[in-house]
Amino acid sequence: MQAKNVFALMVGIDKYQSPVPALEGCVNDMRAFADFVELRTRRKGIPLHLNILQNQDATRLKIVEQFERHLTQAKQGDMVVFYYSGHGSQEPAHKLFWPLEEDRKNETIVCYDSRQPDGMDLADKELATLIDLVTKKGASLTVVMDCCNSGSGTRAAMVEASPAGTRVRQTPDFDGLRPLDSYILPREMASSRGAFSFSGATSSERLAVPTPRHVALSATQPFQLAKETQLGGSPRGVFTYSLLEVLSGVTGQLSYEDVVRQVRSLVKQRTSDQSPQLYAAEAADLRLEFLGGSLAQNQNYFYLSHHNTRGWEVDAGAANGIPAVGTGQTRLAVYDPQAIEADLLDRKKAKGFVSIKGVEAARSSVREEGSLQLDKTKQYRSVVSELAGEKLRVHVRGDNTHGVNTATVALGEAGGPATYLQLVTDPRQATYHVLVKNNRYTLLKSTDADDQPLVRQLDGYSVEQARGVAKDLVHIAQWERTLKMSNPGSRLASNAIRVDLLEATGDAVISPGGLGYQMKVEANKPAPAFRVRISNRSGEKLYVSLLYLSSQFEVEPGLLAQGGLWLEPGAEAFALNGRAFRVGISPGHLQRGRTETTEVLKAIFATTELQPGSLKQEEIEAPRAETRSVGEEGTRSLIFDTVGTDSGGDDWNASNTVITVMAV
């Protein structure tokens, strides 16, 4: 859906007051991004309300006033854009914020007058308050931060030159402790404007921080430095320059997730130790069109790009389900950079193929096949066309020869279902069965003696319905691969990352018991609820992603902010920003006599940054109850609010936490 209006605030600061050192490329970045937004909105016929703060105009007071007076004009259906390019830093956090900050520091942006005797930085807690204020009327908000340490919403800034002439933007941390009343926070913590509220009645208790709906793109991980150098003939930030390079080449839909994946590849080619990040308060927003609002394509694919020293590689590795070499052949079909979803499903539209030659945790090196010649300056989309490793064994049985034959042909189509499925004639060898009976296709698990359907039944024996069966089985095969992902040869123990279930209120840990976690749902009683805590029990810093694999074959990678986070040894974090999971079994399941489900939380962790978004899968429609004419929504049993080959040094592993949900 196209925005009714766009309200934008662009801030760029090169010239700071002493003692803050000057920068060179921030105003250039801001002006270039403003030009892009102006061009994009004009082409789409969307009214743009743009305000710019540059250098001496970008004081702390003026930035705050622009949020409160300009951006809050946005209403439901409008879009808000906040862009910041300048210094960033850290400062000691008030003790009430310590539960939110492992290092007891706020991340901040440095305004023009922040380091004057009576000045202050703008802390991340304050920016969260302003974002919450702007989104109260229902407007969508996108934040773009080209700054050091900006993975947590800021930029750092002491200017120093690297041997290659690249500059970083980093200023010394502010070492003063600010009183609580100096923060831009609601004076009444329980007010509707409040971005912060106390979890108890007294100020001695911890603060609970809501997450206003917004999408944030940032130049770096929280611990990294953003670089600027000469690009396009002038000083520019590597992140903003790469971001605009990607956006300027777009001819179709490109989601936020697509944008960051492409930008990350360009940034890594231009500099080192800088990895752009993407955060969404609601995971579904990651797939929205960049500065658009409509849902971009849902087909999972990998980006294929050329690295200066490593050669051609895709942005996925063993932790994304790419099998290690030596267990068969994995090939990818290569498509144009702007290929749409329909193209990615048609092998005839592929430019050619590449094959995997080396697999690491988060990337894989490839070789071009045949006469395929790719442009090293472009990034291509690629889809798995042949997959190494064991396939899902399927048996087709039934009382209608035409129906059996139609399904058999559909399941064996090369370049599609045959990539993931293996047809077997002996039913004892099959993991899943296709039952052809009563003019209906029904999918069954081999362990179900009563022919209980797993997912939607499809009526009629047409080619279209048979391909629908094949699509569901491919979906299940991909889900099964994700469920089984592990790395037995890893030096990281499977319990290096510990997953604990805690009571919904308080910090009491729930014991799994001898039979594992069991959650009982009783009629006329409150639904069970719990929170999920992950902690790093290893002796090294690890990147962690947490997935929810539902019994209806959904894979949700958005349980942690940005899809994953770095944890220092001994550090911990909460899924869903500390919100609780509620437990239940859908009425439709109960009508069909299904009173027990098995749900899985899967932790994937590595010594390198992971991108779990490629593992995402929607749930498959549940089977129909015979007494109903339509399927029901919301079949999750755990319910929550969505808001290189050269080094060989990366390692990864995974673990599963199984939860059985029972209706009693």
Side-chain angles (χ1 to χ4, degrees):
M1 181 178 66
Q2 182 167 291
K4 298 176 182 177
N5 296 276
V6 173
F7 291 85
L9 172 60
M10 309 285 181
V11 179
I13 313 174
D14 282 331
K15 299 176 182 179
Y16 281 89
Q17 295 187 78
S18 178
V20 180
L23 296 170
E24 294 185 357
C26 296
V27 171
N28 290 338
D29 289 344
M30 179 269 291
R31 288 289 180 180
F33 193 80
D35 289 344
F36 165 77
V37 173
E38 285 186 302
L39 178 61
R40 185 179 181 91
T41 52
R42 185 167 64 251
R43 285 177 173 174
K44 292 193 172 188
I46 305 173
L48 172 64
H49 311 273
L50 170 64
N51 283 358
I52 287 175
L53 294 177
Q54 176 177 318
N55 292 330
Q56 68 274 10
D57 292 330
T59 63
R60 174 184 162 89
L61 177 60
K62 287 186 178 179
I63 292 174
V64 172
E65 284 182 342
Q66 286 295 312
F67 267 90
E68 294 185 330
R69 298 178 183 179
H70 174 56
L71 298 184
T72 55
Q73 298 178 80
K75 299 179 177 62
Q76 182 76 39
D78 294 336
M79 172 163 286
V80 177
V81 180
F82 172 60
Y83 176 89
Y84 174 80
S85 180
H87 279 317
S89 189
Q90 290 183 313
E91 65 182 13
H94 190 279
K95 64 180 181 180
L96 286 176
F97 297 127
W98 288 357
L100 310 175
E101 299 286 0
E102 181 188 356
D103 60 1
R104 298 185 176 182
K105 291 184 177 181
N106 298 322
E107 282 71 45
T108 69
I109 61 175
V110 182
C111 309
Y112 173 74
D113 58 346
S114 284
R115 297 302 171 85
Q116 297 307 293
D118 58 347
M120 288 179 290
D121 291 359
L122 188 64
D124 50 354
K125 285 50 170 194
E126 299 174 295
L127 190 56
T129 302
L130 296 171
I131 289 173
D132 186 67
L133 177 64
V134 170
T135 58
K136 285 297 184 184
K137 298 177 184 177
S140 60
L141 189 149
T142 298
V143 177
V144 180
M145 306 279 281
D146 190 353
C147 39
C148 298
N149 311 108
S150 55
S152 54
T154 61
R155 187 183 212 159
M158 162 187 80
V159 179
E160 84 183 41
S162 71
T166 301
R167 298 159 60 89
V168 299
R169 301 162 178 177
Q170 181 181 20
T171 197
D173 295 349
F174 178 68
D175 56 7
L177 179 63
R178 294 170 53 185
L180 186 62
D181 62 8
S182 71
Y183 286 85
I184 300 173
L185 298 175
R187 296 299 159 239
E188 295 181 9
M189 290 295 182
S191 71
S192 60
R193 176 187 168 186
F196 294 83
S197 60
F198 292 109
S199 62
T202 68
S203 61
S204 63
E205 299 190 22
R206 71 176 58 184
L207 289 169
V209 184
T211 53
R213 185 170 184 175
H214 71 288
V215 178
L217 296 89
S218 51
T220 70
Q221 290 273 10
F223 52 85
Q224 291 177 326
L225 303 177
K227 314 298 195 312
E228 67 174 31
T229 189
Q230 289 287 323
L231 292 167
S234 62
R236 296 292 302 276
V238 174
F239 169 66
T240 296
Y241 189 87
S242 300
L243 173 62
L244 292 176
E245 183 177 340
V246 170
L247 295 176
S248 298
V250 173
T251 57
Q253 285 185 319
L254 203 63
S255 70
Y256 285 98
E257 195 170 47
D258 290 326
V259 169
V260 169
R261 287 169 65 183
Q262 290 197 41
V263 171
R264 185 178 291 120
S265 177
L266 290 177
V267 168
K268 289 183 177 180
Q269 292 180 39
R270 289 172 168 145
T271 188
S272 59
D273 299 322
Q274 181 175 340
S275 180
Q277 299 296 296
L278 173 64
Y279 165 81
E282 296 190 18
D285 290 349
L286 297 176
R287 296 207 170 195
L288 292 177
E289 183 184 4
F290 185 86
L291 297 184
S294 60
L295 186 65
Q297 59 188 26
N298 198 38
Q299 174 72 19
N300 284 336
Y301 51 85
F302 306 129
Y303 275 108
L304 173 66
S305 60
H306 190 272
H307 189 272
N308 295 333
T309 59
R310 295 191 298 267
W312 287 102
E313 59 184 20
V314 291
D315 62 344
N320 303 92
I322 301 294
V325 294
T327 58
Q329 185 180 35
T330 297
R331 302 173 71 227
L332 305 174
V334 181
Y335 296 85
D336 285 327
Q338 304 299 333
I340 62 175
E341 186 165 4
D343 295 338
L344 301 179
L345 297 173
D346 187 352
R347 295 294 179 267
K348 294 180 181 179
K349 294 186 177 181
K351 297 179 66 65
F353 297 84
V354 295
S355 54
I356 300 290
K357 66 177 183 178
V359 180
E360 295 187 29
R363 69 182 180 216
S364 300
S365 59
V366 303
R367 64 171 62 89
E368 298 165 275
E369 293 186 0
S371 60
L372 177 64
Q373 292 185 343
L374 301 175
D375 184 343
K376 293 181 180 180
T377 66
K378 293 183 178 180
Q379 296 187 63
Y380 297 89
R381 298 184 180 188
S382 60
V383 178
V384 173
S385 64
E386 185 176 337
L387 197 61
E390 185 178 358
K391 299 182 180 181
L392 192 72
R393 296 190 301 276
V394 180
H395 176 71
V396 182
R397 59 183 171 89
D399 56 9
N400 185 285
T401 302
H402 170 68
V404 170
N405 290 340
T406 304
T408 300
V409 171
L411 298 179
E413 288 184 343
T419 303
Y420 295 91
L421 309 177
Q422 177 185 352
L423 287 169
V424 295
T425 56
D426 186 347
R428 295 170 298 180
Q429 296 179 351
T431 307
Y432 290 87
H433 294 235
V434 178
L435 178 62
V436 184
K437 189 176 181 179
N438 299 327
N439 198 38
R440 172 180 293 176
Y441 288 122
T442 303
L443 291 186
L444 313 170
K445 191 78 181 284
S446 59
T447 54
D448 290 336
D450 57 355
D451 286 349
Q452 179 73 17
L454 287 172
V455 297
R456 58 177 184 165
Q457 304 102 318
L458 296 175
D459 294 329
Y461 299 142
S462 67
V463 172
E464 180 182 359
Q465 297 294 68
R467 285 177 173 168
V469 173
K471 179 180 178 181
D472 288 348
L473 280 168
V474 168
H475 184 113
I476 292 171
Q478 293 170 325
W479 184 90
E480 290 268 14
R481 280 180 175 259
T482 301
L483 178 67
K484 296 175 182 177
M485 276 173 48
S486 65
N487 187 8
S490 173
R491 61 178 175 79
L492 299 174
S494 60
N495 62 353
I497 295 296
R498 177 169 172 170
V499 179
D500 287 313
L501 273 54
L502 279 62
E503 293 180 353
T505 57
D507 293 325
V509 177
I510 301 172
S511 174
L515 298 176
Y517 290 106
Q518 294 187 331
M519 303 285 176
K520 296 183 179 180
V521 180
E522 301 182 59
N524 302 319
K525 289 189 176 182
F530 61 89
R531 295 184 300 143
V532 176
R533 181 181 67 195
I534 59 173
S535 52
N536 185 355
R537 299 305 177 95
S538 75
E540 59 185 308
K541 183 178 180 179
L542 296 175
Y543 190 89
V544 188
S545 294
L546 188 66
L547 315 179
Y548 169 40
L549 284 78
S550 80
S551 54
Q552 208 57 45
F553 305 104
E554 174 187 10
V555 179
E556 175 52 66
L559 303 190
L560 297 175
Q562 299 175 249
L565 48 81
W566 285 98
L567 283 182
E568 298 285 351
E572 62 184 33
F574 283 83
L576 303 181
N577 291 314
R579 302 195 306 274
F581 292 78
R582 291 181 289 113
V583 177
I585 295 181
S586 71
H589 283 334
L590 294 175
Q591 285 188 21
R592 292 185 295 274
R594 188 176 181 183
T595 60
E596 183 174 312
T597 68
T598 301
E599 315 297 315
V600 177
L601 298 175
K602 187 179 191 77
I604 305 177
F605 44 94
T607 57
T608 186
E609 182 183 354
L610 304 175
Q611 303 298 326
S614 63
L615 298 172
K616 181 176 177 62
Q617 293 181 261
E618 304 296 336
E619 68 176 24
I620 304 180
E621 182 182 329
R624 298 186 302 271
E626 295 301 325
T627 57
R628 300 177 67 185
S629 59
V630 295
E632 82 283 350
E633 297 181 356
T635 54
R636 281 177 172 169
S637 289
L638 303 185
I639 305 160
F640 52 90
D641 295 328
T642 55
V643 227
T645 309
D646 301 318
S647 64
D650 296 336
D651 198 3
W652 74 284
N653 210 337
S655 64
N656 292 343
T657 300
V658 180
I659 303 169
T660 303
V661 179
M662 299 176 290
V664 296

